[in-house]
């Protein structure tokens, strides 16, 4: 397929055309998600001009202080999706329980889970933020319970994220590779600009929060120590370090030029196995990363194979270039 002025809608319709059970419902759902993300992009771009920056002086279900835009973007996502008839239900990182479809609307055959504004701690300093989403199948017409959402990442039918940076980018997989679309602000359409994105198998770039170093497990400390040692160490080459504190930005960089991102298990609080959420962050990103030729792991288990035990479950996350992630997994196995 040519990458010249192919819109997202055309791209999805052409992908769905060859499927025997395609009904247009999935295309409608994805279009509604994209419409919500265009609205979010506008709010993010306007920022202080429309008074949406700063803290809302409230906490989400994880006990994190919410930004005003966390609440606004969550409402935008819900209102864009609840009426369409495509969904059986939704789940948001910002809300404790699954979000029910209002009784006046029909229920559909999909479930959507989303982080409406990933990296929102960066919003007040004008750094990159984004929206992450994951789509699962649902038994049509049912009122889904929490258990209906607790599915392994291998059961996702689609995952994507939208990056609100110098340009607004959508990265998407439906299980047939990864493609990137750039929002043409003049016409309001996402245009295919990055076909079949592939992550280089080798890299000399890593991203980790070094301030947590004293809490790391030995396998992670070993890997980072070797990277920092550079040419003088066992790796025999120099590495660069990056840390944006925005998962969407880190993953987008890795998709474009390789690298490895680590938010590993640490020893600060044994009751917290990780920082990032399995259902809203790790699973969709793992689907994208693997479809682009990379790997995604907790260090001890493939992310997409993790059986969820709660809708807001947290996990360690290590993802990126295949050979680097394999090395980190091997260090965990040796530990």
């Amino acid at each position: 397929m040519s990458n010249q002025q192919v819109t997202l809608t055309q791209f999805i319709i052409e992908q769905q055309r060859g499927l025997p059970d395609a009904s247009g419902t999935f295309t409608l759902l994805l279009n509604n998600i994209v419409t919500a993300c265009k609205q979010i992009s506008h709010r993010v771009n306007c920022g202080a001009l429309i008074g949406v920056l700063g803290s809302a002086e409230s906490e989400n279900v994880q006990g994190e202080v919410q930004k005003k835009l966390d609440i606004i973007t969550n409402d935008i996502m819900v209102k864009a999706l609840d009426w369409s008839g495509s969904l059986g239900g939704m789940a948001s990182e910002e809300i404790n329980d699954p979000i029910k479809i209002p009784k006046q609307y029909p229920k559909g055959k999909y479930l959507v889970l989303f982080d409406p504004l990933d990296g929102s701690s960066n919003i007040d300093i004008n750094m990159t933020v984004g929206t992450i989403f994951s789509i699962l199948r649902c038994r049509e017409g049912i009122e889904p319970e929490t258990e209906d959402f607790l599915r392994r990442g291998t059961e996702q039918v689609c995952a994507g994220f939208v990056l609100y940076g110098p340009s607004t980018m959508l990265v998407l997989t439906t299980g047939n590779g990864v493609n990137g679309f750039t929002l043409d602000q003049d016409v309001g359409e996402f245009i295919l600009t990055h076909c079949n994105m592939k992550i280089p198998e080798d890299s000399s770039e890593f991203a980790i929060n070094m301030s947590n170093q004293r809490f790391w497990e030995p396998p992670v400390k070993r890997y980072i120590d070797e990277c920092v040692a550079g040419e003088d160490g066992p790796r025999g080459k120099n590495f660069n370090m990056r840390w944006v504190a925005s998962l969407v930005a880190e993953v987008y960089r890795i998709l474009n030029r390789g690298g490895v991102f680590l938010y590993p298990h640490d020893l600060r609080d044994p009751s917290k196995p990780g920082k990032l959420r399995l259902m809203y962050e790790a699973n969709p990103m793992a689907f994208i990363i693997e479809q682009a030729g990379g790997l995604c792991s907790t260090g001890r288990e493939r992310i997409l194979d993790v059986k969820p035990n709660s809708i807001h479950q947290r996990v360690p996350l290590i993802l990126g270039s295949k050979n680097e992630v394999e090395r980190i997994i091997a260090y965990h196995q040796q530990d």
Side-chain angles (χ1 to χ4, degrees), residues 55 57-67 70 93-94 115 120 275-277 281 314:
S55 171
E57 299 182 359
S58 59
E59 293 184 350
N60 66 11
V61 64
Q62 286 90 24
E64 299 163 333
V65 174
Q66 290 179 304
K67 299 290 186 179
D70 283 320
E93 184 190 313
E94 299 298 325
D115 179 353
S120 59
K275 168 72 173 176
L276 299 175
R277 289 82 176 173
E281 295 167 317
R314 296 176 189 253

Side-chain angles (χ1 to χ4, degrees), residues 29 32 75-90 99-108 114:
L29 170 57
N32 289 340
D75 289 346
I76 288 172
M77 289 292 286
V78 172
K79 289 174 182 176
L81 297 173
D82 64 3
W83 62 270
S84 69
S86 307
L87 291 179
M90 294 176 269
I99 301 163
K100 296 183 184 299
I101 302 300
K103 293 188 185 304
Q104 67 264 35
Y105 301 130
K107 293 182 176 60
F114 54 84

Side-chain angles (χ1 to χ4, degrees), residues 82-303:
D82 64 3
W83 62 270
S84 69
S86 307
L87 291 179
M90 294 176 269
S92 168
E93 184 190 313
E94 299 298 325
I95 305 295
N96 189 34
D97 297 313
I99 301 163
K100 296 183 184 299
I101 302 300
K103 293 188 185 304
Q104 67 264 35
Y105 301 130
K107 293 182 176 60
K109 59 182 179 181
Y110 295 104
L111 302 172
V112 169
L113 303 97
F114 54 84
D115 179 353
L117 197 66
D118 177 73
S120 59
S121 61
N122 286 329
I123 193 68
D124 293 340
I125 54 171
N126 203 26
M127 289 183 70
T128 301
V129 293
T131 298
I132 309 172
F133 61 90
S134 167
I135 301 176
L136 298 165
R137 291 195 188 279
C138 174
R139 289 172 293 142
E140 203 161 354
I142 70 162
E143 186 71 67
E145 303 293 336
T146 300
E147 291 71 26
D148 292 292
F149 290 85
L150 300 181
R151 314 252 284 282
R152 288 183 172 89
T154 50
E155 295 187 52
Q156 294 173 104
V157 296
C158 177
F161 65 88
V162 177
L163 193 75
Y164 311 116
S167 59
T168 296
M169 292 280 311
L170 165 67
V171 174
L172 185 74
T173 185
T174 57
N176 295 298
V178 177
N179 293 279
F181 303 79
T182 303
L183 181 61
D184 183 334
Q185 301 280 3
D186 291 335
V187 299
E189 286 276 11
F190 277 98
I191 306 297
L192 179 62
T193 51
H194 297 63
C195 287
N196 197 27
M197 302 176 82
K198 290 293 182 187
I199 300 170
E201 291 189 353
D202 294 293
S203 175
S204 55
E205 199 165 72
F206 67 95
I208 194 168
N209 186 345
M210 290 292 284
S211 69
N212 294 330
Q213 185 172 7
R214 65 193 184 279
F215 303 115
W216 293 340
E217 293 182 305
V220 172
K221 190 173 189 308
R222 175 185 173 186
Y223 176 78
I224 299 300
D225 285 349
E226 290 178 356
C227 292
V228 172
E231 289 181 343
D232 300 326
R235 299 298 301 274
K237 65 176 183 178
N238 291 326
F239 284 74
N240 289 323
M241 187 189 122
R242 299 284 183 265
W243 185 251
V244 187
S246 170
L247 182 60
V248 288
E250 305 281 9
V251 170
Y252 186 70
R253 183 186 64 249
I254 288 169
L255 284 167
N256 277 280
R257 69 184 194 205
V260 63
F261 167 88
L262 303 93
Y263 213 123
H265 174 69
D266 64 43
L267 306 174
R268 268 176 299 185
D269 184 348
S271 69
K272 293 182 179 178
K275 168 72 173 176
L276 299 175
R277 289 82 176 173
L278 175 63
M279 307 303 292
Y280 310 104
E281 295 167 317
N283 269 344
M285 290 309 197
F287 193 15
I288 291 166
I289 289 289
E290 287 199 6
Q291 284 292 313
L295 290 180
C296 193
S297 174
T298 66
R300 295 179 171 85
E301 184 179 8
R302 180 190 180 209
I303 285 289

Side-chain angles (χ1 to χ4, degrees), residues 29-41 76 80 190:
L29 170 57
L30 207 51
N31 273 335
N32 289 340
I33 292 172
V34 166
T35 297
C37 292
K38 290 175 188 175
Q39 294 178 43
I40 293 170
S41 176
I76 288 172
F190 277 98

